[in-house]
Amino acid sequence: MHKFLLFFLLSYSVFSQNQYPQDYFRSPLDINIVLAGTFAELRSNHFHSGLDIKTKQIEGLKVYGIADGYVSRIKIAHFGYGKALYVTHPNGYTSVYAHLQKFSPKIEDYIKAKQYEKESFEIEVFPTPEELKITKGELIAYSGNTGSSSGPHLHFEIRDNEERPINPMLFGVDVKDTRKPTISNVYAYPIGPASHVNGSNKKQKLRVIPQKNGDYKIEDLKAFGTIGFALETIDRQDLAANKNGVYNISTYYNGIQNFEIDFKRFSFEETKHLNRLIDYSHYKDKKQKLQKLFIEENNPLSLYDNIIDSGYITIYDSTASVYKAKISDFKGNETNLDITLKGDVKLPDDVEEKVTTQHYIQHDLEAELEQDNFKVSFYKDTFYDSFFIDFSVKNDTLTLHKPVLPVKKSFTISYDISNFKEEDLKQLYIAELIGWNNWPSYSTTKRKGNTLSTYTKDLGTYVLARDTVAPTIKAVNFKDGSWLSKYRYLKVKINDKGTGISNYRATINGQWILMEYNYKNKILTYDFNDAVKTETKNKLKVIVTDNVGNNTTFETTFFRK
């Protein structure tokens, strides 16, 4: 059995740290730990909250409780963590195991009883401390690929008693890593109209020059005024090709530290503010995640430390300065970036143009935009910055800026449907146009009186759309009239090409059955071991409904002894 040492330092104040007990936890798996993902990696709109442990590209590996405790939460969802288990331990910490294939027999029996009681595959329950006790090393689940997982692995977390995920690398996970982080892109940001880098007031891509020792340097720059930098960096471990996140980035100006970001711990409340850390518009345009080495206004992230002048530097005329960034992984492998700057006062050759429109959004005030049948309502602090917004309506199409600005809060788009016939309203919805072909993607739409509305965090283009096509249902491993006495599973495939599946319900002889839905292959699966009473002749009925109310009923007969 491969054990890993679990310890971490958790800061309660600037002046004190507590070291946590060693050898308290064991590994959740019986294999060497190889990571597909590290803590606080920059994911889409959030920081990664745990470790993604590789499971040899297969499902079904045994997952063990890392210490004594009790199952305090079980959640099963089509998306997100899929099948997830939460175990609370006597020392106040909670371990989380996600994307599971299934639970251990006693936990599986418990949750299936709850699912049948609720008549729902998706479920969330909070067992009492006495209901599902576990011991250290007890089998609690099997690894899988459920939820929004892109491949078989175990997502593993440890959270403190305030539900904040802590960097599991601090637990001493034994991962072989002798490779230094790498840097692929560096940009400079002149701040203010008088600042420049090499004569330009616009954001500048800098030439990155790799050094023989694995470090990097930038060609000497001429600059003046206030400047910020951003870089794209990743870390790779010895036994995996995955592009992982780094552990720490620190910067120094003329030998004095002026910025640090340390990926040790964060709260779920702040994870959405990843989009303030990165250059969001750059990411939307080039799919590169530049981490800004400066802190703009309205950035609430708690990951920063040792900050001087928000991480910006100020270049004066006829001076020579050195800016250095130090990037390290958890194992202490370190990469350095050096930038030499010569102060050169001059008017910039080109200045960033300010784009204006008829509509200005002040970030700290509510705002409402309305034209024809569309209305858009923004709450206070929906955005990080104030800006001129591109807003227009043509026919049933709403243009709401380009999706290049980070959004802090959801806002409301509504459409007046009072001119439509009542019989047409159930099939109408608000869609966001996405992709190169402007495919209408269903945006959760509600109706109140003569108004359709959707709650979204995406700028972009929206249309009023109609879905008249009902879902499809097809038997997978049986035919009408089949004998299924030796079958363990009953499978049907469901699909909806319009607004997507909203819900489904399946019965055998009128009795509800639990059918697990895998949205990746669109398969509903029933396990005959659930022991729902059957007869010799049985009637299966499946009803599937899409998001605008179109539904399809599938009925078939099977025989079983």
Side-chain angles (χ1 to χ4, degrees):
M1 179 179 296
H2 300 274
K3 294 185 176 181
F4 59 81
L5 181 64
L6 295 178
F7 74 94
F8 51 88
L9 300 176
L10 179 63
S11 298
Y12 282 111
S13 70
V14 175
F15 305 100
S16 65
Q17 290 184 326
N18 291 327
Q19 183 169 343
Y20 286 78
Q22 301 182 17
D23 293 326
Y24 188 88
F25 298 115
R26 57 148 287 164
S27 171
L29 296 171
D30 272 343
I31 58 174
N32 286 322
I33 301 299
V34 179
L35 300 180
T38 53
F39 184 83
E41 278 184 3
L42 311 183
R43 300 291 176 89
S44 177
N45 296 315
H46 69 279
F47 294 105
H48 187 231
S49 58
L51 299 180
D52 283 345
I53 303 175
K54 289 177 176 284
T55 56
K56 302 181 178 180
Q57 300 181 344
I58 61 174
E59 300 182 41
L61 297 188
K62 293 180 178 180
V63 178
Y64 302 96
I66 62 172
D68 292 351
Y70 70 95
V71 177
S72 54
R73 181 183 178 193
I74 307 171
K75 186 174 182 179
I76 298 176
H78 296 140
F79 304 100
Y81 281 6
K83 293 186 177 183
L85 200 61
Y86 301 71
V87 177
T88 296
H89 304 286
N91 62 355
Y93 292 88
T94 297
S95 53
V96 182
Y97 317 78
H99 306 307
L100 301 170
Q101 180 191 66
K102 60 182 178 179
F103 306 112
S104 65
K106 77 174 184 182
I107 300 174
E108 192 79 10
D109 290 345
Y110 175 91
I111 195 62
K112 278 199 172 184
K114 299 293 184 181
Q115 288 173 305
Y116 272 94
E117 180 182 323
K118 188 180 178 182
E119 295 192 353
S120 174
F121 169 67
E122 291 194 298
I123 194 169
E124 183 175 19
V125 297
F126 299 88
T128 67
E130 302 301 320
E131 287 184 285
L132 291 172
K133 292 182 177 181
I134 68 164
T135 58
K136 183 176 182 178
E138 180 180 340
L139 173 68
I140 58 173
Y142 296 87
S143 66
N145 186 30
T146 57
S148 300
S149 168
S150 59
H153 72 277
L154 174 66
H155 175 88
F156 172 67
E157 301 176 19
I158 291 184
R159 301 180 184 179
D160 66 15
N161 57 7
E162 296 181 42
E163 278 293 299
R164 294 174 298 187
I166 303 170
N167 191 338
M169 295 299 288
L170 291 169
F171 289 30
V173 178
D174 187 14
V175 178
K176 187 176 182 180
D177 184 4
T178 61
R179 304 171 69 178
K180 300 171 66 169
T182 59
I183 299 173
S184 51
N185 286 290
V186 179
Y187 281 77
Y189 295 69
I191 307 299
S195 299
H196 76 84
V197 172
N198 289 337
S200 175
N201 181 246
K202 297 180 179 179
K203 180 176 78 174
Q204 293 291 302
K205 181 176 181 178
L206 307 180
R207 183 185 171 204
V208 181
I209 306 171
Q211 305 297 292
K212 290 182 179 180
N213 65 353
D215 290 336
Y216 300 83
K217 66 177 294 185
I218 300 295
E219 286 184 323
D220 292 356
L221 304 178
K222 290 184 178 181
F224 181 79
T226 302
I227 310 295
F229 292 96
L231 55 79
E232 182 182 28
T233 180
I234 58 125
D235 183 51
R236 282 192 170 98
Q237 296 153 11
D238 291 19
L239 301 178
N242 302 76
K243 298 178 180 180
N244 297 136
V246 300
Y247 179 67
N248 182 283
I249 304 175
S250 298
T251 67
Y252 304 82
Y253 184 47
N254 292 331
I256 299 174
Q257 185 171 13
N258 70 329
F259 175 93
E260 181 180 10
I261 183 165
D262 198 4
F263 297 105
K264 288 183 179 179
R265 184 188 67 191
F266 60 85
S267 69
F268 285 108
E269 177 62 28
E270 65 180 316
T271 188
K272 61 187 176 184
H273 298 299
L274 170 144
N275 290 330
R276 195 56 165 170
L277 164 66
I278 67 171
D279 184 333
Y280 187 78
S281 61
H282 186 95
Y283 168 65
K284 297 297 286 186
D285 181 41
K286 299 183 180 298
K287 304 304 178 187
Q288 297 170 349
K289 293 177 180 175
L290 298 176
Q291 299 187 55
K292 291 180 284 192
L293 307 181
F294 52 90
I295 305 174
E296 297 164 297
E297 292 183 357
N298 304 315
N299 182 340
L301 289 172
S302 64
L303 300 169
Y304 301 111
D305 200 2
N306 298 311
I307 304 300
I308 297 176
D309 295 331
S310 298
Y312 295 107
I313 63 173
T314 301
I315 308 296
Y316 298 97
D317 187 35
S318 301
T319 59
S321 304
V322 176
Y323 180 87
K324 181 175 182 177
K326 182 172 67 177
I327 303 99
S328 57
D329 60 27
F330 185 81
K331 286 285 191 174
N333 301 302
E334 184 179 292
T335 298
N336 294 291
L337 169 73
D338 291 305
I339 304 175
T340 300
L341 305 105
K342 181 179 180 181
D344 181 23
V345 62
K346 61 172 291 186
L347 291 176
D349 298 327
D350 56 347
V351 178
E352 191 72 45
E353 297 180 5
K354 292 185 177 180
V355 178
T356 62
T357 69
Q358 295 180 341
H359 305 282
Y360 185 74
I361 301 297
Q362 191 163 325
H363 72 88
D364 57 348
L365 297 177
E366 294 181 354
E368 193 167 270
L369 305 174
E370 189 170 5
Q371 184 178 336
D372 298 338
N373 292 324
F374 274 108
K375 181 168 70 174
V376 182
S377 301
F378 297 113
Y379 301 98
K380 177 182 177 181
D381 293 324
T382 295
F383 301 98
Y384 293 97
D385 300 306
S386 301
F387 68 104
F388 286 96
I389 191 170
D390 180 16
F391 170 80
S392 63
V393 175
K394 185 176 181 180
N395 298 324
D396 288 330
T397 301
L398 164 68
T399 299
L400 190 62
H401 214 76
K402 291 182 179 179
V404 295
L405 297 178
V407 181
K408 291 168 63 176
K409 296 180 180 178
S410 295
F411 55 90
T412 301
I413 299 174
S414 57
Y415 189 96
D416 183 353
I417 55 174
S418 56
N419 293 329
F420 286 83
K421 295 180 180 179
E422 184 64 33
E423 57 267 27
D424 294 332
L425 296 182
K426 289 184 178 180
Q427 297 172 322
L428 290 176
Y429 66 99
I430 297 173
E432 180 183 4
L433 299 183
I434 60 173
W436 61 269
N437 60 346
N438 285 329
W439 178 261
S441 175
Y442 174 76
S443 185
T444 303
T445 303
K446 305 294 183 182
R447 179 187 175 188
K448 184 176 181 180
N450 287 324
T451 301
L452 292 181
S453 62
T454 187
Y455 202 50
T456 180
K457 291 183 72 174
D458 296 323
L459 296 171
T461 304
Y462 290 82
V463 299
L464 186 69
R466 174 178 279 113
D467 178 9
T468 61
V469 181
T472 59
I473 308 173
K474 182 180 179 181
V476 174
N477 64 338
F478 66 97
K479 296 180 180 179
D480 185 46
S482 298
W483 280 90
L484 305 181
S485 301
K486 297 182 180 180
Y487 280 48
R488 167 77 185 269
Y489 299 105
L490 189 66
K491 298 184 179 183
V492 298
K493 185 171 186 176
I494 64 176
N495 192 24
D496 186 81
K497 295 183 178 180
T499 52
I501 303 297
S502 172
N503 57 72
Y504 61 90
R505 180 179 176 83
T507 58
I508 291 178
N509 301 329
Q511 185 176 355
W512 184 86
I513 59 171
L514 173 63
M515 297 200 83
E516 297 199 5
Y517 179 46
N518 184 334
Y519 77 92
K520 297 165 188 171
N521 59 20
K522 301 177 173 60
I523 299 294
L524 288 175
T525 302
Y526 168 66
D527 186 349
F528 279 113
N529 282 0
D530 287 358
V532 172
K533 184 179 179 182
T534 58
E535 301 173 2
T536 302
K537 183 178 181 180
N538 301 277
K539 183 177 181 180
L540 171 68
K541 184 177 183 179
V542 181
I543 302 173
V544 180
T545 305
D546 68 17
N547 278 294
V548 295
N550 299 310
N551 64 77
T552 299
T553 300
F554 171 84
E555 295 182 281
T556 190
T557 299
F558 67 88
F559 296 88
R560 185 174 173 85
K561 289 184 179 179

